[in-house]
Amino acid sequence: MRCNQVVWQSFPVNKKTRSQLLGQRPCVLWFTGLSGSGKSTIAGAVESMLAERLLHTYLMDGDNVRHGLCGDLGFSDADRAENIRRVGEIASLMIDAGLIVLTAFISPFCSNRNMVRARFEEGDFIEIHIDTPLSICESRDSKGLYKKARAGEISNFTGIDSPYEAPETPEIHIQNYNISVQMAAEQVIDYLSQNGYF
Ligand SMILES: Nc1ncnc2c1ncn2[C@@H]1O[C@H](COP(=O)(O)OS(=O)(=O)O)[C@@H](OP(=O)(O)O)[C@H]1O
Ligand SMILES: Nc1ncnc2c1ncn2[C@@H]1O[C@H](COP(=O)(O)OP(=O)(O)O)[C@@H](O)[C@H]1O
């Protein structure tokens, strides 16, 4: 049951202090796209590039978070909404800690992503659409899940029998086919550099 008798506590050390100590501007890089679109691979490459610049980061990935924090959730629309809500809350805490947070979740519903966006200050939430045609994701099928979904062994699979709502105005739009992972990751670094994040 939700408790309403709770008052927000402020402390002398806050987001501004922590960011200054770390010498960086915190933000969340929210990667969204179909399974197999390249979210994890590109997020990992971006995190490496940020680490080379001595920036402090944390990468949260759907497959990993679903082993722990969200291990009780499946792939119904309601469970996906709860998954994204929890990840948004954790990302918000990490931003408060002064980190640059990278998240790699399908996050197929606009309403769920917009709810997370609304938790952040203007400019702190950067939506990155990894836009890869379903046919290419399916041909990659690195985990064999599309094959299982087509065979009816997995239900509610995004792009097959569960929807993916593409962002209309993401901050960054990456068409991740016929380009290298390095080129895709550089699009993110260029955006951050051109928009004064470092
Ligand atoms: N039914 C169904 N639909 C989509 N994906 C499935 C499903 N079942 C298992 N998987 C695996 O779970 C990964 C997606 O988890 P997410 O937490 O990112 O999904 S969501 O944001 O809550 O929609 C996804 O990882 P990625 O391929 O990295 O996207 C899959 O490996
Ligand atoms: N630009 C690219 N060119 C070629 N292969 C890619 C590219 N981006 C990702 N891949 C490959 O596609 C597969 C799926 O990528 P992954 O990052 O696991 O996707 P997601 O996290 O969206 O499910 C992996 O085998 C990865 O190496």
Side-chain angles (χ1 to χ4, degrees), residues 30 32 75-81 84 106-115 127 158 162-167:
W30 188 279
T32 171
F75 290 91
S76 65
D77 292 2
D79 277 7
R80 289 181 201 256
I84 296 311
I106 296 176
S107 44
F109 299 114
C110 286
S111 59
N112 298 163
R113 296 192 302 265
N114 288 340
M115 228 134 73
E127 190 171 31
T158 308
S162 185
Y164 178 76
E165 299 170 357

Side-chain angles (χ1 to χ4, degrees), residues 47-187:
E47 190 178 32
S48 297
M49 290 175 179
L50 294 174
E52 278 166 20
R53 291 170 182 254
L54 306 182
L55 294 166
H56 304 265
T57 59
Y58 193 80
L59 168 51
M60 276 194 281
D61 184 87
D63 282 315
N64 297 351
V65 167
R66 280 175 173 279
H67 276 93
L69 175 72
C70 297
D72 56 327
L73 301 176
F75 290 91
S76 65
D77 292 2
D79 277 7
R80 289 181 201 256
E82 175 60 10
N83 185 38
I84 296 311
R85 188 193 69 78
R86 288 183 200 175
V87 171
E89 290 300 319
I90 301 284
S92 169
L93 292 175
M94 288 188 178
I95 288 272
D96 208 37
L99 296 176
I100 296 172
V101 185
L102 304 93
T103 65
F105 293 80
I106 296 176
S107 44
F109 299 114
C110 286
S111 59
N112 298 163
R113 296 192 302 265
N114 288 340
M115 228 134 73
V116 174
R117 182 188 284 275
R119 290 284 286 112
F120 294 92
E121 288 173 32
E122 183 75 26
D124 280 5
F125 181 87
I126 299 165
E127 190 171 31
I128 304 167
H129 182 201
I130 305 301
D131 187 1
T132 310
L134 178 64
S135 55
I136 294 182
C137 296
E138 199 165 352
S139 69
R140 290 177 179 160
D141 206 10
S142 44
K143 300 170 201 157
L145 295 175
Y146 281 101
K147 198 171 168 213
K148 286 187 179 163
R150 289 285 186 200
E153 291 166 29
I154 303 178
S155 56
N156 286 339
F157 198 81
T158 308
I160 307 294
D161 58 351
S162 185
Y164 178 76
E165 299 170 357
E168 283 178 12
T169 52
E171 278 74 9
I172 306 174
H173 180 203
I174 299 177
Q175 294 183 310
N176 189 33
Y177 47 95
N178 297 331
I179 62 165
S180 65
V181 171
Q182 168 89 9
M183 282 164 71
E186 275 167 5
Q187 286 187 44

